[in-house]
Amino acid sequence: MSPTEDATLSRMTIVTSGSDEVIEQIYKQLNKLIEVVAVMDLSEGEHLERELMLVKVRAEGVVREEMKRMTDIFRGCIIDVSDKTYTIQLTGTGHKLESFLQAIDRSLILETVRTGASGIGRGDRILKL
Amino acid sequence: MELTGAEITIRCLQEEGAEYVFGYPGGAVLHIYDALFTQDQVKHILVRHEQAAIHAADGYARSTDKVGVALVTSGPGVTNAVTGIATAYMDSIPMVIISGQVPTYAIGEDAFQEVDTVGITRPCVKHNFLVKDVKEIASTIKKAFYLAKSGRPGPVLVDIPKDISCQKTEFSYPTSVSIRSYNPAQHSDLGQIKNAVQLLLAAKRPMIYAGGGVILADASKQLTELVRLLGFPCTNTLMGLGGYPATDKQFVGMLGMHGTYEANMGMQYCDVLLAVGARFDDRVVGNVKHFSQEKRKIIHIDIDPSSISKRVKVDLPIVGDVAHVLNDLLAELHGSKEKPDQQAIAPWWAQIKEWRGKNSLVYKNSDEIIKPQFVIEKLYEVTQGDAFITSDVGQHQMWAAQYYKFDKPRRWINSGGLGTMGFGLPAAMGVQLAHPDAHVACVTGEGSIQMCIQELSTCKQFQLPLKIIMLNNRYLGMVRQWQQFFHGNRYAESYMDALPDFVKLAEAYGHVGMRIEKPSDVEPALKEAFGRKQQLVFMDFITDQTENVFPMVQGGKGLSEVILAEDL
Ligand SMILES: Cc1cc2nc3c(=O)[nH]c(=O)nc-3n(C[C@H](O)[C@H](O)[C@H](O)COP(=O)(O)OP(=O)(O)OC[C@H]3O[C@@H](n4cnc5c(N)ncnc54)[C@H](O)[C@@H]3O)c2cc1C
Ligand SMILES: Cc1ncc(C[n+]2csc(CCOP(=O)(O)OP(=O)(O)O)c2C)c(N)n1
Ligand SMILES: [Mg+2]
């Protein structure tokens, strides 16, 4: 939940899954909440999805170079460095973040923090009241 | 002039025209009780358990078109109230609950009698508020009443911390309220209305299935007019009983798990179904797959979009208030050149008559032992079908629904959605207060009555001359019936042992008690009881222990896979 350009409104992106009937019911149940002003199913049209992830990894010896390379390939950046660790920042779709975690040696991961997705319509498509 | 938060709270209730507040005092609401004490416009009914306060406010609301009001203290006051709140929520009953909370500065400190009221009640209220500023009490209570009553009604809770109820501010009650994110539908799309009329007029095997929404919308007049105009058969859900006159020839009885054969078969084999303020509950359409095997067009009127196509896919949704939508439908029908063709549906009626011929509510009466159905039939006769009947939960509830023919709305008061044992007696108190001169009877079982029996004391204090019709089968009968059918007759913990002497118990509370053991005594006893206009009479009917409720569509079965009494 976060503020928007309109001080009276907050916005959140929810990622969920289910059959068409389940999604329809989720949509209706969200609309039913008294404080909800509008609900939009982003996946009904073209949309963008981004998530921020911070991963702290062990980065010693030979893996130190390898970690840096993988970070570059995924267009991430290393935002904190110690003798033994890197803290990597990565943005992208949930799918891309998953791929990164798959691509590196799991046993090197010390900590993972993710924001969850934020979504927005493509082009002229906006959530308008 | 500045008023305290507590005084403002009571002024708000006055402004809303609240006649009664049902409640129980405690530390966190002491300021509010103090403010109640110094006025006499809003009358307080002191119950003996907070669950009963909510049920009483609920019964009051169901039997009128008003919002019920309850007042409870923090902590155990609120947790005791939760069962009542969930009961009202499941049946969409308009209610405002004011709860005390520990002072704002103590919230989160495990303060004495602190619970997270907003958190605990969130899943069983339409909405709730924690008031953090005395200046917001008036606008919050205004919103609470508006939310409770509008759209799909429901309970709304306002949690007021103790420090807020003693701080002072200027009082002015808002004259209007609007909430940007809350705009319940009123009128429907005219195009949809036209389409609906087309479908209805083309039907060969039509069925009208009407539920609690008709009662809540006060739309039984419109429903009755529509059903008569179309000449179609009409069935009601448990919550819709009285929405269409039960003695009318177009009424085919209640449908669902314990519905009549003709109602369930009609529902299963119709070609056009008009669902009005009903939500295709699992006790109505047991097995959706089985139901959907038959091809039919469904028109569904409901104010809550989430009720539509939730369990059963609908072809023509109409989102709106039942009363408004039915008015629109009637206007369209009256204006239409095409008229309902009775000839076209005559074969369907013939089929329904054949199903009716099964006489699915027939039971074997006895000279020796009191049959529970017989008691309800006699209750109907003695009260000339004109009493308010509340009920608890179990077999007695189903028999009351099947054998008392409700011709008017808001006469049948029961917990359908949550099925709360203990509802009947406190609900009847609320009904009697709303209708002081009416006959109010509570049909109950020896299991259910003991869940809120302490309210006999409240009835004494406020002189509520209820008639308690207890069908005493010495069993948690509904549980026993399921155990008989589905658990190989193993009656695990469904026998009610060590029952009190209910006659003496009633007398101990200062009421009249009667025990009725012979069928021939049923009618005279009922007449005597209802003759005692000023007294509460507790009638302990010793009934057939192992009588079962028929017809029965088992959970998970289809509507045509019904068990009739004759099958066993
Ligand atoms: C022991 C037991 C046995 C039961 N057996 C049966 C049975 O055999 N048959 C049966 O029918 N039930 C039975 N029930 C009850 C069942 O559990 C449900 O409570 C009931 O079927 C629901 O009724 P309804 O569909 O009318 O919906 P309700 O719960 O009354 O809901 C009303 C619907 O109307 C809508 N609505 C409200 N206000 C408006 C308005 N102003 N305009 C438009 N729409 C509105 C709401 O959004 C909602 O969808 C049983 C319960 C118990 C405890
Ligand atoms: C609070 C609560 N607990 C348990 C149940 C489950 N239950 C449904 S009917 C029933 C038996 C009710 O017994 P009684 O009141 O004697 O009525 P009868 O069925 O015998 O007519 C029970 C235990 C319930 N509905 N509510
Ligand atoms: Mg019993």
Side-chain angles (χ1 to χ4, degrees):
Chain A
M1 181 71 93
S2 51
T4 64
E5 70 288 347
D6 176 342
T8 67
L9 290 174
S10 303
R11 172 161 172 160
M12 70 167 101
T13 305
I14 296 174
V15 179
T16 185
S17 60
S19 62
D20 287 354
E21 292 79 39
V22 168
I23 298 295
E24 179 180 333
Q25 192 55 223
I26 291 173
Y27 178 84
K28 287 171 171 176
Q29 291 291 338
L30 288 171
N31 256 320
K32 194 168 160 176
L33 296 170
I34 305 295
E35 281 147 340
V36 170
V37 178
V39 183
M40 179 187 193
D41 183 350
L42 283 169
S43 68
E44 269 179 358
E46 288 214 64
H47 66 284
L48 299 163
E49 178 195 328
R50 289 293 179 273
E51 179 175 358
L52 172 71
M53 173 167 75
L54 303 178
V55 213
K56 196 182 297 275
V57 293
R58 196 172 291 122
E60 288 174 290
V62 280
V63 274
R64 203 167 169 90
E65 192 41 42
E66 171 69 8
M67 247 343 142
K68 169 85 177 69
R69 256 191 348 164
M70 286 308 280
T71 307
D72 289 342
I73 291 171
F74 278 83
R75 299 216 174 82
C77 50
I78 295 170
I79 55 172
D80 187 42
V81 176
S82 76
D83 300 352
K84 298 198 175 87
T85 66
Y86 279 157
T87 301
I88 301 162
Q89 170 189 307
L90 212 68
T91 52
T93 61
H95 187 68
K96 172 177 162 186
L97 305 190
E98 254 349 291
S99 309
F100 176 75
L101 294 174
Q102 297 286 329
I104 62 173
D105 181 349
R106 284 250 153 191
S107 67
L108 298 176
I109 300 174
L110 299 169
E111 219 180 329
T112 314
V113 194
R114 298 172 65 157
T115 56
S118 292
I120 196 163
R122 245 187 208 282
D124 293 340
R125 186 170 177 232
I126 53 173
L127 173 49
K128 206 174 171 183
L129 294 181
Chain B
M1 200 184 66
E2 292 205 322
L3 300 180
T4 66
E7 288 163 338
I8 289 172
T9 303
I10 301 305
R11 284 289 297 275
C12 292
L13 298 184
Q14 293 174 349
E15 293 283 342
E16 288 293 338
E19 241 182 319
Y20 293 105
V21 45
F22 300 87
Y24 207 88
V29 283
L30 276 177
H31 297 303
I32 299 176
Y33 271 85
D34 211 25
L36 261 175
F37 193 70
T38 53
Q39 56 88 53
D40 49 17
Q41 196 174 327
V42 182
K43 292 181 270 309
H44 183 269
I45 304 296
L46 178 69
V47 294
R48 302 301 189 260
H49 187 297
E50 287 87 351
Q51 180 185 346
I54 311 293
H55 289 332
D58 182 323
Y60 179 88
R62 289 185 203 230
S63 69
T64 60
D65 61 349
K66 297 182 196 149
V67 177
V69 185
L71 172 60
V72 298
T73 193
S74 68
V78 164
T79 53
N80 270 353
V82 167
T83 298
I85 298 172
T87 302
Y89 181 68
M90 285 296 276
D91 292 341
S92 306
I93 304 306
M95 184 186 298
V96 170
I97 304 107
I98 312 270
S99 57
Q101 181 54 280
V102 302
T104 46
Y105 50 79
I107 289 178
E109 294 182 348
D110 296 341
F112 178 63
Q113 296 194 328
E114 176 183 3
V115 294
D116 174 7
T117 299
V118 163
I120 285 181
T121 59
R122 181 170 288 129
C124 60
V125 291
K126 180 168 174 181
H127 196 54
N128 60 19
F129 300 93
L130 171 63
V131 183
K132 286 185 246 169
D133 183 343
V134 66
K135 292 195 189 69
E136 280 171 12
I137 291 184
S139 60
T140 304
I141 294 182
K142 179 81 187 177
K143 276 187 202 160
F145 274 87
Y146 167 60
L147 287 171
K149 190 83 182 85
S150 57
R152 179 176 184 168
V156 179
L157 180 138
V158 182
D159 201 24
I160 308 182
K162 190 167 182 180
D163 54 332
I164 303 295
S165 62
C166 72
Q167 288 165 12
K168 288 190 163 186
T169 191
E170 286 294 332
F171 172 67
S172 78
Y173 201 59
T175 47
S176 66
V177 51
S178 88
I179 302 172
R180 145 166 94 164
S181 53
Y182 174 76
N183 300 293
Q186 290 278 322
H187 287 274
S188 44
D189 185 84
L190 266 176
Q192 294 289 78
I193 298 281
K194 282 196 197 326
N195 292 339
V197 165
Q198 292 266 300
L199 266 178
L200 290 170
L201 290 177
K204 298 277 180 296
R205 302 188 309 277
M207 186 73 176
I208 296 182
Y209 147 62
V214 173
I215 311 281
L216 293 162
D218 284 312
S220 42
K221 244 185 65 190
Q222 289 92 326
L223 176 69
T224 308
E225 194 185 331
L226 182 77
V227 174
R228 296 219 170 115
L229 183 68
L230 291 168
F232 292 177
C234 177
T235 177
N236 281 158
T237 67
L238 182 73
M239 300 314 294
L241 294 176
Y244 188 81
T247 53
D248 189 271
K249 58 183 190 317
Q250 281 169 253
F251 189 61
V252 294
M254 181 174 84
L255 83 168
M257 180 176 277
H258 294 298
T260 64
Y261 187 66
E262 54 273 31
N264 284 336
M265 294 296 275
M267 184 84 171
Q268 181 73 10
Y269 295 109
C270 63
D271 67 346
V272 175
L273 179 66
L274 174 63
V276 191
R279 55 187 175 80
F280 292 90
D281 185 83
D282 51 283
R283 293 223 151 170
V284 168
V285 179
N287 182 333
V288 171
K289 258 213 189 109
H290 182 278
F291 182 66
S292 305
Q293 277 163 15
E294 301 299 324
K295 291 271 162 285
R296 66 177 87 65
K297 293 276 180 216
I298 303 180
I299 308 165
H300 190 179
I301 306 170
D302 204 292
I303 200 153
D304 180 356
S306 80
S307 281
I308 295 179
S309 291
K310 181 175 56 180
R311 298 192 72 238
V312 169
K313 194 116 191 75
V314 162
D315 303 284
L316 210 168
I318 304 181
V319 176
D321 176 66
V322 166
H324 284 116
V325 175
L326 291 186
N327 280 337
D328 292 347
L329 269 179
L330 282 165
E332 182 65 25
L333 265 171
H334 282 303
S336 149
K337 278 193 287 300
E338 243 181 293
K339 293 293 163 208
D341 179 359
Q342 298 309 316
Q343 220 46 45
I345 60 170
W348 177 236
W349 268 114
Q351 172 67 73
I352 288 171
K353 280 207 184 97
E354 194 187 317
W355 287 328
R356 258 186 187 154
K358 281 248 181 201
N359 217 351
S360 62
L361 289 180
V362 75
Y363 66 95
K364 226 194 245 127
N365 212 348
S366 154
D367 293 338
E368 268 123 58
I369 189 156
I370 299 177
K371 291 286 179 177
Q373 302 94 326
F374 176 69
V375 178
I376 306 296
E377 286 184 334
K378 287 293 156 194
L379 174 66
Y380 175 74
E381 284 170 31
V382 168
T383 57
Q384 289 157 2
D386 205 30
F388 287 85
I389 307 289
T390 75
S391 151
D392 266 304
V393 172
Q395 293 183 312
H396 60 273
Q397 175 187 23
M398 293 299 109
W399 288 316
Q402 291 173 331
Y403 295 91
Y404 201 99
K405 298 186 271 290
F406 294 94
D407 277 340
K408 294 182 195 159
R410 299 193 181 279
R411 293 297 172 112
W412 166 239
I413 314 279
N414 84 135
S415 165
L418 201 67
T420 308
M421 291 170 69
F423 175 81
L425 172 57
M429 304 191 310
V431 176
Q432 187 79 76
L433 284 160
H435 309 274
D437 301 322
H439 284 318
V440 181
C442 164
V443 175
T444 185
E446 79 297 334
S448 295
I449 192 72
Q450 293 190 75
M451 287 218 177
C452 274
I453 191 106
Q454 74 287 342
E455 296 310 314
L456 286 175
S457 172
T458 310
C459 294
K460 185 66 191 167
Q461 183 178 350
F462 296 95
Q463 297 171 7
L464 305 175
L466 307 176
K467 306 297 174 266
I468 296 173
I469 314 293
M470 187 173 80
L471 304 179
N472 186 349
N473 52 9
R474 285 84 71 212
Y475 270 119
L476 300 174
M478 189 54 97
V479 173
R480 189 205 53 73
Q481 176 168 348
W482 283 53
Q483 289 170 334
Q484 181 188 342
F485 288 12
F486 316 124
H487 297 275
N489 290 299
R490 290 181 296 280
Y491 294 170
E493 306 299 323
S494 55
Y495 182 66
M496 262 294 180
D497 213 347
L499 288 171
D501 179 331
F502 287 102
V503 172
K504 282 198 187 136
L505 185 69
E507 287 167 2
Y509 276 108
H511 303 301
V512 178
M514 290 165 91
R515 180 172 300 113
I516 303 94
E517 294 173 276
K518 287 205 307 261
S520 55
D521 290 341
V522 170
E523 186 168 344
L526 281 167
K527 281 190 172 146
E528 186 194 331
F530 281 94
R532 292 178 181 265
K533 292 230 154 55
Q534 309 300 324
Q535 282 164 310
L536 183 150
V537 183
F538 192 119
M539 310 184 76
D540 181 5
F541 290 93
I542 309 299
T543 59
D544 189 348
Q545 259 195 298
T546 51
E547 188 70 28
N548 287 321
V549 181
F550 293 111
M552 179 167 188
V553 179
Q554 289 177 46
K557 290 275 177 173
L559 285 174
S560 55
E561 301 171 313
V562 55
I563 311 175
L564 298 172
E566 65 188 39
D567 297 339
L568 291 181

